[in-house]
Amino acid sequence: MPARIIDGKAIARTVERELQPRIAALAARGIRPKLTAVRVGDDPASEIYVRSKARKAEELGLAGEVLHLPASTAGEELLREVDRLNRDPEIDGILVQLPLPARIDERAVVEAIDPAKDVDGFHPVNVGRLQLGRPSLVPCTPAGVMRLIESTGRTIAGAHAVVVGRSNIVGKPVAILLLQHHATVTICHSRTRDLAAMVRQADIVVAAVGRPCLIRAEMLRPGGVIIDVGMNRLEAGDSAAAALGPRKRAILEEKGSVLVGDVELEGAAEVAGWITPVPGGVGPMTIAMLMANTVAAAEGRWR
C-alpha cells in the first residue's frame, strides 16, 4: 500500500492554532512578541525566506521586522547591530539569515546573539542546554521534524532511527531529540560504509544531507517513517535526474528544473508507511516552529 503523505502545511497550521492562546495571554498583559530577522546582501533566496518569516509573524499577531543590511556590511558593523537588537527591550527574537557573505565570521555573529533571543536555537548556550536535556530554544527544523514524526502516531521509544547528515543545524540536534524520545539513533554521513545497509535497518529515517534523491526505495524498510529535510533544485542534464520518478521527471522536462528532496519520493512512497513531500513537508514546519520559539522567548523574558 502506498505511503501516507505527511502534510507539513496542515501540521504547521495546528502548531499555529496552539500558539493562539499563548499569544492572547501575552497580549492581555500588553506584550506583543517581536521577531527581528536580519538579512545581509541581496541573495534572492534569503530575501524570500526572511520575508516569509516576517509575514507569518504578522499573520499570527506577532510583530515581524526585517533589517536589511547592504552586501558591503563589515563583520564589526553586523556585530554592532546584533548588540543593539540584544539591548532593545521590545525585541524578543533575533535571527540572522544564513549564509552570510564569506568575509563575515558566522560563528562570531551567532555567538553574539543573546541566548534568550536566539530563536534559531544556534547559540552554544542553547545547543548545550539541548544536549543536557534542559529547557532551551530548540533549532526550528529539528523541532519541526519531531512534530512530523509524532503526527504519524508511530511510537518513537525503542524505534531505530537513522539520521543521514551530521550538520549542527539539523542532523546533530535531530539525533539528540530522538534520543530524548528514547529512540536508538544511528547518524550516517559522507564516510559511512554501506549507507544502504544502515538505512535499511531504520524504522525512522531523517534525510538531511543535501544530496538529491540519495535515498531510494530499495534502501528502505517497508512501513517506515521517512522525513525528507532536503531541498534541492535539479536542472536538466543533472546526473541525479536519472533517479527521478515519472512525475518529477515530467516536471523537469516541462520546466527545465524541479525541486526534489534527499529521498526519491515516488519510489520511496511505494515502500514507506509515511513520508514527507518536497515541497510541503518540513519547510512549513520550520517557520511554524520559529513562531513557537518567538512566543516562548517572549514568555521567558516577561514571565
Side-chain angles (χ1 to χ4, degrees):
M1 186 174 72
R4 281 166 276 189
I5 299 298
I6 306 172
D7 188 343
K9 293 180 181 178
I11 300 167
R13 288 193 293 270
T14 298
V15 172
E16 292 167 8
R17 286 193 297 271
E18 293 171 354
L19 291 175
Q20 288 304 314
R22 296 165 61 186
I23 295 169
L26 289 166
R29 298 166 54 196
I31 300 166
R32 186 186 184 196
K34 183 175 181 179
L35 170 67
T36 297
V38 181
R39 177 167 68 92
V40 180
D42 300 301
D43 178 73
S46 292
E47 180 183 5
I48 292 169
Y49 294 150
V50 168
R51 187 170 64 243
S52 65
K53 292 168 183 176
R55 183 170 61 244
K56 178 58 69 175
E58 292 288 340
E59 286 177 8
L60 296 182
L62 314 180
E65 171 188 54
V66 175
L67 177 60
H68 180 203
L69 302 176
S72 59
T73 300
E76 294 77 8
E77 184 179 354
L78 178 55
L79 289 172
R80 285 195 295 272
E81 285 294 332
V82 169
D83 180 62
R84 180 182 66 81
L85 299 175
N86 284 339
R87 291 183 286 103
D88 188 334
E90 294 187 0
I91 294 174
D92 299 288
I94 302 167
L95 71 87
V96 177
Q97 185 66 41
L98 304 177
L100 292 169
R103 68 180 181 283
I104 296 178
D105 184 346
E106 288 187 355
R107 185 175 67 179
V109 173
V110 169
E111 292 181 3
I113 298 171
D114 180 349
K117 297 186 177 186
D118 166 41
V119 288
D120 268 334
F122 295 163
H123 192 283
V125 168
N126 284 320
V127 173
R129 287 174 176 162
L130 176 63
Q131 178 74 43
L132 295 171
R134 295 171 57 186
S136 65
L137 293 170
V138 177
C140 304
T141 298
V145 165
M146 295 306 297
R147 283 296 297 258
L148 291 169
I149 296 171
E150 290 165 358
S151 76
T152 69
R154 285 290 296 270
T155 300
I156 299 175
H160 184 189
V162 171
V163 179
V164 185
R166 53 178 170 177
S167 73
N168 293 328
I169 293 173
V170 180
K172 291 177 184 176
V174 160
I176 293 169
L177 290 169
L178 286 163
L179 283 170
Q180 290 176 358
H181 283 72
H182 310 297
T184 298
V185 180
T186 301
I187 302 177
C188 296
H189 47 78
S190 60
R191 298 188 182 182
T192 296
R193 296 177 183 173
D194 200 350
L195 176 64
M198 299 301 296
V199 172
R200 201 170 291 117
Q201 301 175 36
D203 304 299
I204 299 167
V205 176
V206 179
V209 72
R211 290 181 59 186
C213 302
L214 174 67
I215 308 299
R216 299 178 302 281
E218 61 269 21
M219 300 169 65
L220 301 174
R221 170 182 285 186
V225 177
I226 314 300
I227 308 295
D228 191 352
V229 184
M231 187 76 73
N232 313 284
R233 184 162 295 279
L234 284 184
E235 306 290 338
D238 193 305
S239 60
L244 292 177
R247 188 176 67 84
K248 289 284 190 178
R249 189 179 300 117
I251 295 172
L252 177 61
E253 291 172 355
E254 177 186 351
K255 298 186 176 180
S257 68
V258 64
L259 196 63
V260 300
D262 291 350
V263 179
E264 196 290 291
L265 175 63
E266 293 171 61
E270 295 299 318
V271 178
W274 293 264
I275 193 167
T276 56
V278 175
V282 174
M285 291 300 298
T286 297
I287 295 180
M289 303 316 293
L290 174 64
M291 299 303 113
N293 273 355
T294 302
V295 172
E299 293 170 334
R301 292 183 65 236
W302 300 105
R303 60 173 173 236

